[in-house]
Amino acid sequence: RGKHDLCIETLKKHLALPSAKWDEERGASMRFIALCYEAKGKAKEAKAWLFRAAAECPRGREAYLALARAGYKEGNWPMVHAMVKKGLSIERKSEHYLAEPECWGPALYDYGAIGAYRLGLYEEALGYALGACALNPADERLKSNLALIEKKINENAEKEVSP
C-alpha cells in the first residue's frame, strides 16, 4: 500500500526487541526492509540490508537470491556470480514459514547463467543454464538462453580450431 516508511520503522522495532533472536526471522525482516528501500528508489540502502540479512542468516538461500537479483539490476556480474555460488552451496531447504519456494526453483541457476556468461565463463554458464532448464523445462526464455550459451561455446571452439 506504499507505506514503506511505516514498514521500515515497524521492522526495525522488531529487530530491536530482546526477544527477536531467531536468525531466520531476523533475516526475513531485513529482506523486507530492503524491499521497502528498493520500492522507495534507494538501491544502496536496499543492498546494505540484503547483505545484513545474509550475514544474519547465512544458511538460507533467500538473501543470496535477492542479492543476485540486485546485482543483476545494476549489472554487477561479479556480485551476481558470487551470490549465486553461495546460494547454491546451500543444499538443505528450511522447512519454516519464512522459506521462499522461489529459492529452490530455477532462479539462482538462471542468474548464474547470465552472470557467468557476462563474465565470459561460458562453460560455467552452460552448467547453470542446464540446471535452470532442468527445473523449468517449459520456459522458453531459459531454453533460448541455453541455446545462446551453446552457440557462444561452439563459436569459441571453432575459433580455436581455425588457423
Side-chain angles (χ1 to χ4, degrees), residues 65 68-69 72 77 80-81 84 88 102-103 105-118 124-136 139-146 149:
L65 176 56
R69 186 177 293 120
Y72 173 84
W77 309 119
V80 172
H81 189 254
V84 164
L88 290 175
E102 180 186 21
C103 297
L108 276 169
Y109 290 96
D110 186 23
Y111 285 117
I114 295 166
Y117 184 89
R118 295 294 185 130
E124 190 173 337
L126 177 63
Y128 287 131
L130 289 168
C133 287
L135 289 167
N136 190 355
D139 188 309
E140 292 300 322
R141 186 186 61 76
L142 295 178
K143 290 192 280 189
S144 176
N145 284 356
L146 174 60
I149 294 165

Side-chain angles (χ1 to χ4, degrees), residues 60-139:
R61 284 186 174 185
E62 289 79 7
Y64 300 111
L65 176 56
L67 283 162
R69 186 177 293 120
Y72 173 84
K73 288 178 182 176
E74 62 187 34
N76 184 339
W77 309 119
M79 182 175 142
V80 172
H81 189 254
M83 294 303 107
V84 164
K85 281 190 162 305
K86 180 59 180 165
L88 290 175
S89 75
I90 299 165
E91 297 178 355
R92 188 170 156 263
K93 185 177 181 178
S94 295
E95 298 297 328
H96 58 76
Y97 74 99
L98 295 166
E100 297 173 9
E102 180 186 21
C103 297
W104 299 93
L108 276 169
Y109 290 96
D110 186 23
Y111 285 117
I114 295 166
Y117 184 89
R118 295 294 185 130
L119 291 171
L121 305 170
Y122 304 119
E123 294 293 335
E124 190 173 337
L126 177 63
Y128 287 131
L130 289 168
C133 287
L135 289 167
N136 190 355
D139 188 309

Side-chain angles (χ1 to χ4, degrees), residues 148-162:
L148 178 73
I149 294 165
E150 289 172 332
K151 179 180 176 188
K152 185 67 168 180
I153 289 171
N154 290 334
E155 288 172 359
N156 287 348
E158 289 173 8
K159 287 179 187 175
E160 289 176 9
V161 173
S162 298

